[in-house]
Amino acid sequence: VQLQASGGGLEQAGGSLRLSCAVSGRTFENYAMSWFRQGPGEEREFVAGISRSGRKIAYENSVKGRFTASSDAKNTVYLQMNSLKSEDTDIYYCAASLGTPWDSVRADVREYAYWGQGTQVTVSS
């Protein structure tokens, strides 16, 4: 499976960006899909994820109420990011997991075998 992330860029604090991740390869609905982010010298951290069933969506606490993860029937997942803050500045990655339980969202990077190339998000204050 291949993941292609896009949509990053430079935005002012309080603004919005939408990230997209196009998934190709094996059947899309078999995968749990998540977004992670990573800053220089930092570990990659979980941002938001959608379970394989699509019924559960989970968020990291600092983005709750500001970010929204979603997917469509065209094998694309999205991360709508509103009310951006300077601390949201990072490289954002989409990731796919085949082995998680049907209604679970996992925040551990080790659960994800497939990764996109990352897209830079920079928020100016």
Side-chain angles (χ1 to χ4, degrees), residues 26-46:
R26 295 176 62 177
T27 307
F28 175 67
E29 57 265 28
N30 286 339
Y31 293 92
M33 299 295 302
S34 289
W35 291 94
F36 290 77
R37 62 187 180 187
Q38 186 173 23
E42 298 177 352
E43 294 188 353
R44 196 166 294 188
E45 67 172 5
F46 174 81

Side-chain angles (χ1 to χ4, degrees), residues 54-67:
R55 289 192 293 263
K56 181 173 181 179
I57 301 177
Y59 299 93
E60 191 270 329
N61 284 338
S62 69
V63 307
K64 284 181 180 178
R66 301 189 299 120
F67 290 10

Side-chain angles (χ1 to χ4, degrees), residues 54-124:
R55 289 192 293 263
K56 181 173 181 179
I57 301 177
Y59 299 93
E60 191 270 329
N61 284 338
S62 69
V63 307
K64 284 181 180 178
R66 301 189 299 120
F67 290 10
T68 303
S70 63
S71 62
D72 63 18
K74 297 181 180 180
N75 290 2
T76 303
V77 291
Y78 303 96
L79 185 67
Q80 178 67 42
M81 305 186 295
N82 299 329
S83 302
L84 284 164
K85 303 176 180 180
S86 57
E87 51 262 44
D88 295 321
T89 296
D90 268 327
I91 299 175
Y92 284 70
Y93 298 88
C94 57
S97 173
L98 184 58
T100 58
W102 191 242
D103 279 322
S104 291
V105 177
R106 300 294 174 88
D108 190 337
V109 296
R110 294 169 295 181
E111 298 274 358
Y112 295 83
Y114 306 99
W115 293 85
Q117 83 284 9
T119 184
Q120 176 71 48
V121 171
T122 303
V123 183
S124 61

